[in-house]
Amino acid sequence: MAVTLATSWSFVVLALVTSYFPAVYNEKDESAAALKATELNIAIAGISLCVIVGFAAVGKMFISMLYGPAFADAWLPALILCVATMLSTMGAISSRYILKTSGYRYLSCKSLIALILCVPLSFFFITYDGIVGAAVSVVVLEFISLTLLNYGYKKGTVLKMHLLMFGALPGMVRRIL
């Protein structure tokens, strides 16, 4: 149940990624394409953080109303998995950007490494903290996949995108306000 609740909103952010990414693919200038992907990452992070904060505030109440008080303990794993959903969606942006620049082999190797990391990470976290540990292991793996495993691609292109994301954030907030 926690997985279903935590990922049920992912269709919204994935639809945004799917709708926006043709603009990234069609961009001839690689810097401009990276900037568009960065803007998309910021939008995904913003939407996701709203969902995460909302779920943190009222998720336990909704779980109790929908499934009964006996399921209220599913709130914490579901909240943690909401973070995993955000990281996974941002990872999809990075992967699509890598595909745009013909990084098929890189993604294949990255996937194999992620698979190899998954087993010991899951074992450790599940042994340590049960279902909450399982949720934490998903977040840790998604974070590693989004960051460390992508940062080796083309002299840190994805790292530069992520740094640009934090640098561009104040300007975007000023434009909104």
Side-chain angles (χ1 to χ4, degrees):
M1 175 194 58
V3 173
T4 303
L5 287 174
T7 61
S8 62
W9 59 277
S10 66
F11 76 92
V12 174
V13 287
L14 289 172
L16 182 61
V17 171
T18 302
S19 299
Y20 188 80
F21 225 83
V24 177
Y25 280 131
N26 291 333
E27 187 61 58
K28 302 296 181 216
D29 179 26
E30 197 167 320
S31 296
L35 183 60
K36 287 181 179 182
T38 299
E39 290 171 345
L40 183 57
N41 261 326
I42 292 170
I44 295 304
I47 293 167
S48 298
L49 289 173
C50 290
V51 171
I52 292 165
V53 168
F55 191 80
V58 296
K60 197 173 225 176
M61 178 185 68
F62 277 114
I63 290 172
S64 293
M65 278 181 9
L66 294 171
Y67 300 102
F71 289 91
D73 287 345
W75 173 79
L76 182 56
L79 180 62
I80 294 167
L81 289 171
C82 283
V83 174
T85 300
M86 175 182 72
L87 295 173
S88 175
T89 305
M90 293 173 78
I93 295 168
S94 296
S95 294
R96 289 179 184 204
Y97 181 80
I98 290 170
L99 287 174
K100 176 198 177 350
T101 58
S102 302
Y104 306 102
R105 182 168 168 77
Y106 187 88
L107 286 178
S108 295
C109 292
K110 174 192 152 186
S111 296
L112 182 61
I113 293 168
L115 174 67
I116 292 168
L117 287 173
C118 182
V119 174
L121 279 173
S122 297
F123 180 80
F124 171 77
F125 283 107
I126 291 169
T127 301
Y128 180 73
D129 205 12
I131 191 71
V132 172
V136 169
S137 74
V138 174
V139 169
V140 169
L141 188 61
E142 288 293 345
F143 181 78
I144 290 170
S145 180
L146 171 65
T147 59
L148 300 177
L149 295 181
N150 280 334
Y151 289 169
Y153 182 69
K154 279 198 175 181
K155 299 178 184 174
T157 301
V158 176
L159 172 61
K160 291 172 189 167
M161 284 172 45
H162 289 164
L163 292 174
L164 182 62
M165 183 171 89
F166 291 108
L169 195 56
M172 291 185 80
V173 169
R174 278 193 297 273
R175 278 192 292 185
I176 293 170
L177 298 176

